[in-house]
Amino acid sequence: MKRKLIPLVACIVLFFGCKVTFVPDYDATIEQQIVDAAKANDKIYIELLAADANKRDYKIYEPEYLAVEADIHSIELKNETRKNNTEMLDIINRLDTAFNEFQTEHKTEPPKDKEI
């Protein structure tokens, strides 16, 4: 009797004690878009560091900022359509917020080396 009860208890514990979390399927195109956006973002900051401090006006870099911002929004849109993807959307939202803060600060005052 004990031998029959052990598998039954084990099945009940596994059934009620385990949690399965599904994650979205891997998407190579989204990964490539993330890599491309990260490269474009890095390029802005590398160019800012290479420029003289008096030649870091926002208007010079505005097209690059707008391109990266559009990439971030595109990545967000693609991830909104994927099921079970709340963690990635949180990351994208934080990235978008931080990027917009830096962009807004740059509009008012050119960034210093330490800030970049």
Side-chain angles (χ1 to χ4, degrees):
M1 178 71 173
K2 280 187 176 182
R3 290 188 177 248
K4 292 181 182 178
L5 191 57
I6 291 174
L8 179 63
V9 171
C11 287
I12 291 172
V13 168
L14 287 175
F15 183 74
F16 290 107
C18 292
K19 178 181 174 185
V20 176
T21 304
F22 295 99
V23 295
D25 292 333
Y26 171 76
D27 188 333
T29 58
I30 291 177
E31 180 185 10
Q32 187 59 50
Q33 188 177 12
I34 291 169
V35 169
D36 293 344
K39 283 173 144 179
N41 185 59
D42 288 348
K43 185 176 180 279
I44 293 172
Y45 301 129
I46 291 168
E47 287 177 357
L48 282 167
L49 279 171
D52 291 335
N54 59 352
K55 294 185 179 178
R56 292 180 179 169
D57 186 56
Y58 175 77
K59 285 293 182 187
I60 297 170
Y61 300 94
E62 185 175 32
E64 288 90 348
Y65 273 110
L66 297 177
V68 171
E69 187 175 8
D71 286 343
I72 292 171
H73 292 168
S74 176
I75 293 166
E76 180 179 28
L77 182 63
K78 286 181 180 179
N79 277 285
E80 283 176 347
T81 61
R82 299 173 74 203
K83 293 180 181 180
N84 304 313
N85 207 25
T86 56
E87 288 180 15
M88 184 65 164
L89 289 172
D90 289 341
I91 292 167
I92 294 168
N93 287 328
R94 283 183 274 158
L95 173 65
D96 190 35
T97 301
F99 183 80
N100 286 328
E101 285 175 6
F102 189 79
Q103 183 180 14
T104 302
E105 289 174 8
H106 189 177
K107 287 178 183 178
T108 59
E109 183 180 341
K112 297 173 179 49
D113 287 354
K114 293 185 279 187
E115 295 170 328
I116 297 171

